[in-house]
Amino acid sequence: MHRVSLAHPADFNGWRAYVRQCIAQDIAPDEVEWAIEPPADLFASQAKRALPSAAIDLRIPRWLASLIAAALQSDAPDRFTALHRVVADLHVGTNGLDDGSDTQLPYLRALSHQAHVATQDLRNQFLHAITFRTLDAGPVITADSSNVLAGQRHILTQLAAEPWRIRTPGLSIDWDGRTCRIGNGAGEPCHAGPENEYWNGIPAIMLPTDDETIAHAASLDELRAKAADCRRCPLWEPATRTVFGEGSRSARLMFVGEQPGDQEDLAGHPFVGPAGRLFDEILARAGIPRDACYITNAVKHFKFTPRGSRRIHQKPDADEMRACLPWLAAERRLVKPQVLVMLGVTAATSVLGRSVTISRERSRAIPLDDGCTGIVTVHPSFLLRVPDADTRARETQRFEEDLRMAWRLLD
Ligand code: SF4
């Protein structure tokens, strides 16, 4: 038996290097014993491993490589051998990948599916804990799969700005908002210091964000977990994170704004910047409890132009609004509000599906196609930009009356 050791159960780089070596040396998959042997000191400077490098011409199609990367993060004990067999067969041309007759492929897909389900579950738990956090030090959640957690840790740090801790049987991670501290499992103290390279190189599983997946999401947690991976338009790239809607999951009143601003992008929550604080004040004056509402945006990433150290807000264009619309449609389907308030022209254009002039549409009940009633009003950021005090006071009063009207319509 040929014994090889991996640094951890999702050690993609180690597995790939040893498989190449085995194929180069004609060692059959059934002759290999895979062992997990973490280094004694995760942060030792000499922790850099010397992995074998075999000079073989081994080409793996991209779709198969991502299937393998996901399948390696499953918990199946035989995954290293099964995946080795697929790659070895591919190398000698005896598998049926091309004509679909490969017998290993269904098993590979099943392992990959298992890892995707565990990823969705981890993200759901994580976002739920972040949203309803009760602990001062941040949420502690327990995930079943160390493998999936290892692959997701960078994404989790982008999902929430707040500190968090996660424990699995084989891995513990503390995030203080700046640094990940990684430990070897439940109950063990987390190590301080830079991330060890043994945990790097694990391809993160991305959740699907196609129209059908969004339209069939069964819960807001699921939807939000998927939105974190959204690449449907270019706005994700320069932004820090997706800022998804928040609030009561059965709210009768939904507010839709334009997009997250600078502070929302950093905090990961909608309506927490200056316009959001003003919105809160006026909402309270109108006698509407914020926790009875659901608050979201038509576009979930912050669009900006860098100017020096500042990020200047840019309006989303029609393509970006269209790309983001399925997320809003799914939020509406799941929350089922009775009244939906469109804050500003971007929100109104997205919801009504046509160009909108605020002055023409404002302050009247508009029947929407899902049976709820829409109201168009200004965005609270408009109130902050009104230069003279009298006009600002008048506009603020008018905005408050629009909110009162929305609340009254619930009855
Ligand atoms: S703005 Fe919307 S569609 Fe574009 S990447 Fe972000 S979430 Fe996806």
Side-chain angles (χ1 to χ4, degrees):
M1 210 63 168
H2 182 76
R3 193 169 197 277
V4 295
S5 66
L6 300 175
H8 54 79
D11 182 2
F12 181 77
N13 287 343
W15 174 85
R16 184 174 51 190
Y18 286 116
V19 162
R20 290 175 68 88
Q21 184 193 45
C22 289
I23 290 174
Q25 296 177 0
D26 268 338
I27 300 170
D30 293 335
E31 295 167 12
V32 181
E33 182 191 345
W34 296 90
I36 311 292
E37 290 171 344
D41 182 355
L42 281 175
F43 297 98
S45 57
Q46 67 274 21
K48 196 171 175 59
R49 269 184 308 175
L51 289 171
S53 74
I56 56 164
D57 184 16
L58 181 56
R59 282 171 211 187
I60 298 181
R62 191 184 290 249
W63 67 267
L64 183 58
S66 58
L67 206 57
I68 289 173
L72 265 182
Q73 292 177 41
S74 76
D75 288 326
D78 63 346
R79 63 191 180 284
F80 304 117
T81 305
L83 296 174
H84 180 178
R85 199 172 290 126
V86 170
V87 176
D89 288 353
L90 177 73
H91 182 60
V92 293
T94 57
N95 67 7
L97 286 176
D98 292 338
D99 61 12
S101 63
D102 178 65
T103 53
Q104 298 292 318
L105 209 50
Y107 186 52
L108 191 57
R109 288 197 197 284
L111 296 186
S112 166
H113 178 70
Q114 186 200 100
H116 269 88
V117 170
T119 301
Q120 178 79 58
D121 182 53
L122 172 66
R123 299 260 198 106
N124 288 358
Q125 272 199 64
F126 180 80
L127 287 165
H128 196 85
I130 289 290
T131 306
F132 301 101
R133 57 185 297 193
T134 49
L135 299 171
D136 289 345
V140 176
I141 66 172
T142 305
D144 288 335
S145 172
S146 308
N147 309 349
V148 164
L149 175 59
Q152 292 290 305
R153 69 192 194 285
H154 292 304
I155 289 178
L156 298 189
T157 62
Q158 288 179 354
L159 274 173
E162 298 92 336
W164 48 261
R165 287 177 281 155
I166 301 182
R167 302 285 179 266
T168 72
L171 179 67
S172 35
I173 302 183
D174 277 24
W175 163 251
D176 64 8
R178 295 167 64 113
T179 312
C180 267
R181 293 160 190 264
I182 301 178
N184 269 341
E188 292 214 2
C190 287
H191 297 246
E195 285 191 47
N196 182 276
E197 68 183 73
Y198 275 97
W199 294 103
N200 288 341
I202 306 172
I205 292 173
M206 303 282 282
L207 298 176
T209 61
D210 54 285
D211 282 3
E212 201 178 335
T213 311
I214 297 173
H216 289 102
S219 70
L220 284 172
D221 282 340
E222 182 185 336
L223 202 61
R224 198 173 161 210
K226 289 191 158 85
D229 291 344
C230 188
R231 307 282 190 266
R232 294 167 62 88
C233 82
L235 294 188
W236 67 273
E237 202 160 7
T240 311
R241 53 177 59 87
T242 309
V243 180
F244 207 67
E246 288 182 1
S248 165
R249 279 137 202 267
S250 53
R252 292 190 298 153
L253 184 54
M254 179 184 275
F255 290 95
V256 181
E258 182 190 76
Q259 61 163 343
D262 182 71
Q263 292 191 26
E264 285 85 2
D265 169 81
L266 297 174
H269 302 287
F271 282 75
V272 294
R277 288 195 291 277
L278 177 62
F279 175 68
D280 276 353
E281 272 174 37
I282 302 173
L283 204 59
R285 278 212 302 273
I288 304 172
R290 184 161 173 174
D291 59 9
C293 309
Y294 185 87
I295 299 173
T296 189
N297 283 300
V299 170
K300 314 290 192 220
H301 275 104
F302 176 36
K303 181 175 183 180
F304 62 92
T305 308
R307 191 173 300 157
S309 60
R310 297 178 59 213
R311 304 190 296 173
I312 309 298
H313 165 274
Q314 296 278 297
K315 248 188 178 339
D317 65 26
D319 284 346
E320 291 151 358
M321 286 159 61
R322 202 173 305 115
C324 218
L325 194 56
W327 297 115
L328 177 60
E331 285 175 295
R332 287 174 60 188
R333 173 177 61 81
L334 290 165
V335 177
K336 297 186 182 62
Q338 276 178 305
V339 175
L340 184 151
V341 182
M342 294 157 259
L343 303 168
V345 73
T346 301
T349 304
S350 272
V351 172
L352 298 177
R354 55 180 164 80
S355 61
V356 170
T357 306
I358 296 285
S359 55
R360 263 210 297 269
E361 312 271 1
R362 186 172 183 176
S363 311
R364 65 184 178 89
I366 303 172
L368 300 179
D369 49 10
D370 61 355
C372 101
T373 303
I375 296 178
V376 173
T377 186
V378 294
H379 193 279
S381 63
F382 162 75
L383 305 174
L384 293 172
R385 292 194 305 269
V386 177
D388 87 276
D390 286 350
T391 315
R392 190 163 57 246
R394 235 185 359 262
E395 285 295 340
T396 304
Q397 183 59 35
R398 203 169 160 209
F399 181 69
E400 185 180 324
E401 280 159 16
D402 284 341
L403 300 195
R404 286 182 191 279
M405 177 191 170
W407 190 243
R408 274 199 310 275
L409 278 172
L410 292 176
D411 303 325

